[in-house]
Amino acid sequence: MKKILFAIVAAALVSTQAMAQDEKSEQRRERKFDKTEMVKHRTDETVSRYKLNDKQAKKLLELNTKFADKMGPRGHRHGGRFGRPGVGRPPMPPSDAQGQRPEPPKDDSKMKERRAEMEKTMKEYESELQKIMTADQYKSYQEDQKKMHERAHRPRRVE
């Protein structure tokens, strides 16, 4: 009798824990994207990383606010945040009745245009950022950007 009662209590605890985790993941999915929060976070992160003073921080906040629409949130690329695969990945296009994914467009001119536009935006942003930062701060920023670019374009291991 004690074993049965113990099994019921254990099952209840496990199911309660599972439901609590589902609620947490539900809340994360429902969290709305707040542009001002993103701008503030990006600014604070940069200020602390490169040790900017208050005057620089104020200018950087203005710069990040100006470019907020042109530059989306960071960390939501294919690798997702914290290196967890699948988190932050763009959704796959729906499959047809036979389970086949649609072919990607053959004409990649739109993609080239978008990439050129993004590069132009980054150059504008970095030009403004260079005016705000000291030479040492900007050099450190460029080194970090280079490392991040190398990490993003590193070939994946196939297991």
Side-chain angles (χ1 to χ4, degrees):
M1 185 69 166
K2 287 182 182 178
K3 290 181 180 178
I4 294 172
L5 184 60
F6 181 73
I8 292 172
V9 170
L13 287 173
V14 169
S15 65
T16 304
Q17 183 67 22
M19 287 181 5
Q21 288 178 353
D22 286 344
E23 288 175 15
K24 287 179 185 176
S25 64
E26 229 6 81
Q27 289 172 349
R28 279 190 211 123
R29 267 186 255 134
E30 290 178 6
R31 194 169 81 177
K32 300 286 184 212
F33 173 73
D34 183 16
K35 191 185 332 178
T36 56
E37 184 180 317
M38 179 206 59
V39 167
K40 177 117 176 66
H41 176 73
R42 184 177 283 174
T43 303
D44 292 344
E45 193 177 90
T46 306
V47 166
S48 65
R49 176 174 282 157
Y50 303 107
K51 297 174 180 46
L52 304 182
N53 62 35
D54 292 339
K55 186 178 178 184
Q56 289 173 312
K58 184 178 177 184
K59 289 181 179 180
L60 180 63
L61 180 62
E62 291 171 6
L63 178 66
N64 286 342
T65 303
K66 176 182 170 184
F67 280 86
D69 291 331
K70 297 177 183 177
M71 298 167 68
R74 284 193 227 157
H76 295 284
R77 292 181 179 85
H78 297 292
R81 292 189 132 208
F82 312 113
R84 294 187 327 235
V87 176
R89 279 183 188 244
M92 293 295 289
S95 53
D96 62 9
Q98 289 82 28
Q100 298 294 317
R101 299 274 180 211
E103 286 293 317
K106 300 292 182 200
D107 179 28
D108 63 341
S109 61
K110 287 183 182 179
M111 197 166 88
K112 287 180 181 178
E113 286 175 22
R114 184 156 187 239
R115 181 174 286 138
E117 185 179 320
M118 286 171 40
E119 287 174 1
K120 180 183 172 195
T121 301
M122 275 306 294
K123 284 181 182 177
E124 289 175 24
Y125 178 82
E126 289 180 353
S127 164
E128 294 288 323
L129 186 63
Q130 190 174 11
K131 295 174 187 175
I132 295 170
M133 292 180 158
T134 64
D136 289 338
Q137 290 168 336
Y138 189 71
K139 182 179 178 185
S140 179
Y141 168 81
Q142 284 181 315
E143 289 170 359
D144 289 347
Q145 291 297 309
K146 184 178 178 183
K147 288 177 190 174
M148 191 167 53
H149 187 273
E150 287 171 357
R151 228 180 300 134
H153 292 88
R154 182 180 347 167
R156 293 182 181 237
R157 288 189 312 184
V158 179
E159 294 179 21

